[in-house]
């Protein structure tokens, strides 16, 4: 995006002062940021066709419809806009659920604005990369199960299910590097666009979920292998 056509962000945060502060800081980085303070207002803003938003910073704890329900409704409607959740300390269950229903990552309050910028830019960069043609067959077989990177649908242990965009991006990168040992930093860099040394448990949450989808026994994985002290290795 150029200064003439900046990336449009929607900040959904019920703390008005925090929302305004984030919008001001994002504007200094050449983003176009708008703020709303309820889940209902977020859904209305995102339903408008023109001009579309490119990214959502979404607080989980909102009055009325909370951030998790906003995300769930967007994904149910086929809206795959990148979503970064803002969460409170100690809300681990909300973090896991947020990623499960289609969030791309989360940031725990309090945080520094620079970290928010890193997350936003990284997720946008990898989302753009994922739209390019893949070097592998988009239909991936994983043991007795399979996933389609184009339709974002999979046959899993639990039956037919839709995959989130970040799950598809992670699966694609694993498939493009089958049998290779991938370092944690490499996966974070290529799937989330983060710096190699970024500290986050998001990757582990996503791998855990892929194991639940495609492993007959997730405790003894045959496809998504942990390489202790290094990262992960995928075999179909």
């Amino acid at each position: 995006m150029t200064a003439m056509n900046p990336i449009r962000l929607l900040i959904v945060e019920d703390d008005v002062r925090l929302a305004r502060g984030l919008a001001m800081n994002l504007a200094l980085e050449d983003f176009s940021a708008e703020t709303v303070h309820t889940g209902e207002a977020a859904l209305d803003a995102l339903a408008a066709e023109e001009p579309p938003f490119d990214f959502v910073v979404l607080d989980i704890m909102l009055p009325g419809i909370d951030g998790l329900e906003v995300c769930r409704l967007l994904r149910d409607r086929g809206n795959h806009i990148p979503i970064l959740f803002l969460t409170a300390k100690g809300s681990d269950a909300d973090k896991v659920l947020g990623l499960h229903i289609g969030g791309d990552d989360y940031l725990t309050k309090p945080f520094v604005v620079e970290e928010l910028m890193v997350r936003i830019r990284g997720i946008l960069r990898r989302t753009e990369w994922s739209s390019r043609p893949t070097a592998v067959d988009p239909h991936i077989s994983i043991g007795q199960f399979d996933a389609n990177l184009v339709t974002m649908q999979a046959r899993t242990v639990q039956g037919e299910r839709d995959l989130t965009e970040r799950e598809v991006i992670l699966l694609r990168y694993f498939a493009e590097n089958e049998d290779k040992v991938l370092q944690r930093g490499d996966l974070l860099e290529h799937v989330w666009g983060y710096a190699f040394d970024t500290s986050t448990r998001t990757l582990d949450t996503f791998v855990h979920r892929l194991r639940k989808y495609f492993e007959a026994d997730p405790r003894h994985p045959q496809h998504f292998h942990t390489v202790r002290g290094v990262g992960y290795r995928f075999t179909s």
Side-chain angles (χ1 to χ4, degrees), residues 192-212:
W192 281 269
Y194 296 163
F196 198 87
D197 59 352
T198 299
S199 177
T200 176
R201 304 304 298 178
T202 299
L203 170 61
D204 307 288
T205 300
F206 272 84
V207 172
H208 175 72
R209 199 153 70 245
L210 292 181
R211 285 172 174 165
K212 289 180 65 176

Side-chain angles (χ1 to χ4, degrees), residues 59-211:
D59 188 27
I60 287 182
M61 299 297 292
L62 295 170
I65 299 177
D66 66 18
L68 295 173
E69 186 62 16
V70 170
C71 179
R72 194 193 315 274
L73 288 169
L74 289 173
R75 298 314 189 221
D76 286 347
R77 297 171 184 176
N79 188 330
H80 297 291
I81 187 171
I83 293 175
L84 176 67
F85 282 114
L86 302 182
T87 70
K89 282 186 176 180
S91 58
D92 290 343
D94 284 344
K95 295 172 185 176
V96 173
L97 180 57
L99 298 178
H100 179 71
I101 61 178
D104 292 274
D105 202 357
Y106 60 84
L107 197 55
T108 303
K109 298 177 182 178
F111 55 84
V112 295
V113 174
E114 289 77 10
E115 179 64 16
L116 176 65
M117 303 293 184
V118 167
R119 300 292 177 99
I120 292 172
R121 287 200 172 99
I123 292 171
L124 284 170
R125 187 162 56 247
R126 300 326 297 168
T127 300
E128 180 183 4
W129 166 83
S130 71
S131 66
R132 300 172 186 170
T134 178
V136 298
D137 187 337
H139 186 273
I140 301 173
S141 294
I142 308 168
Q144 59 184 310
F145 306 108
D146 56 74
N148 190 307
L149 301 180
V150 176
T151 64
M152 299 176 64
Q153 295 177 320
R155 288 191 309 113
T156 73
V157 174
Q158 298 85 20
E160 299 278 345
R161 70 169 300 119
D162 294 329
L163 300 173
T164 69
E165 184 161 3
R166 202 57 47 178
E167 288 169 346
V168 168
I169 295 173
L170 180 56
L171 271 175
R172 169 178 167 169
Y173 193 66
F174 271 135
E176 290 178 343
N177 295 276
E178 185 169 1
D179 288 325
K180 295 180 182 178
V181 175
L182 299 172
Q183 296 184 52
R184 291 179 56 84
D186 185 57
L187 285 159
L188 287 170
E189 182 178 357
H190 284 85
V191 178
W192 281 269
Y194 296 163
F196 198 87
D197 59 352
T198 299
S199 177
T200 176
R201 304 304 298 178
T202 299
L203 170 61
D204 307 288
T205 300
F206 272 84
V207 172
H208 175 72
R209 199 153 70 245
L210 292 181
R211 285 172 174 165

